[in-house]
Amino acid sequence: MPTTSMRERMALSKLRQIIHGPGELLRASWVKMQHPCGKSSCRCAKAKRHWHLSWYVSQSKNGKQRMKCVPREQLDEVRRWVSHYQAARELLAIVGDAYWDRIGKTQVSPQ
């Protein structure tokens, strides 16, 4: 069995911590949007610079893009979910690259 590098071992350890931890993963991207609220008396009706700011999460499912507005009280929580997913994805890339490099390499067993 090929030896694992320190980088690979660290990536696997961090990945296990993310997966076996709270398990809060959301495969999505952050989108910041500005829009008018629709009230004629609101300042956003007068100028685009006063439009309201909203945060959305966006993901592709079955080939179609979908978005969901994130309520202000959930912003920190959802940010954590997205960052956990992004960290797990980066760690999987490290581990996957290590296994990719092993293809075709043979290890000489000591005699």
Side-chain angles (χ1 to χ4, degrees):
M1 182 169 161
T3 59
T4 59
S5 69
M6 177 62 83
R7 184 171 190 232
E8 180 185 350
R9 284 194 304 272
M10 288 176 62
L12 282 169
S13 175
K14 288 179 185 176
L15 188 57
R16 284 185 191 105
Q17 289 173 9
I18 291 172
I19 300 295
H20 295 299
E24 300 170 329
L25 300 170
L26 176 62
R27 182 185 58 85
S29 299
W30 279 105
V31 179
K32 178 171 74 170
M33 297 182 73
Q34 290 184 298
H35 55 85
C37 66
K39 296 178 186 174
S40 58
S41 61
C42 184
R43 66 184 182 148
C44 69
K46 295 180 179 72
K48 189 174 182 177
R49 67 185 170 146
H50 295 298
W51 282 11
H52 302 278
L53 174 69
S54 297
W55 286 97
Y56 288 78
V57 286
S58 170
Q59 70 172 211
S60 176
K61 184 168 184 174
N62 298 327
K64 296 190 178 188
Q65 198 70 19
R66 62 185 189 166
M67 293 177 65
K68 190 175 268 195
C69 184
V70 180
R72 281 197 176 119
E73 57 274 1
Q74 276 191 304
L75 278 175
D76 291 335
E77 182 181 23
V78 175
R79 270 196 183 106
R80 188 174 61 248
W81 298 348
V82 172
S83 69
H84 285 173
Y85 176 79
Q86 290 170 344
R89 186 175 173 166
E90 289 171 12
L91 295 167
L92 280 170
I94 292 169
V95 174
D97 288 345
Y99 278 87
W100 179 265
D101 293 340
R102 290 181 189 173
I103 296 174
K105 291 186 178 178
T106 57
Q107 187 170 357
V108 179
S109 55
Q111 295 178 355

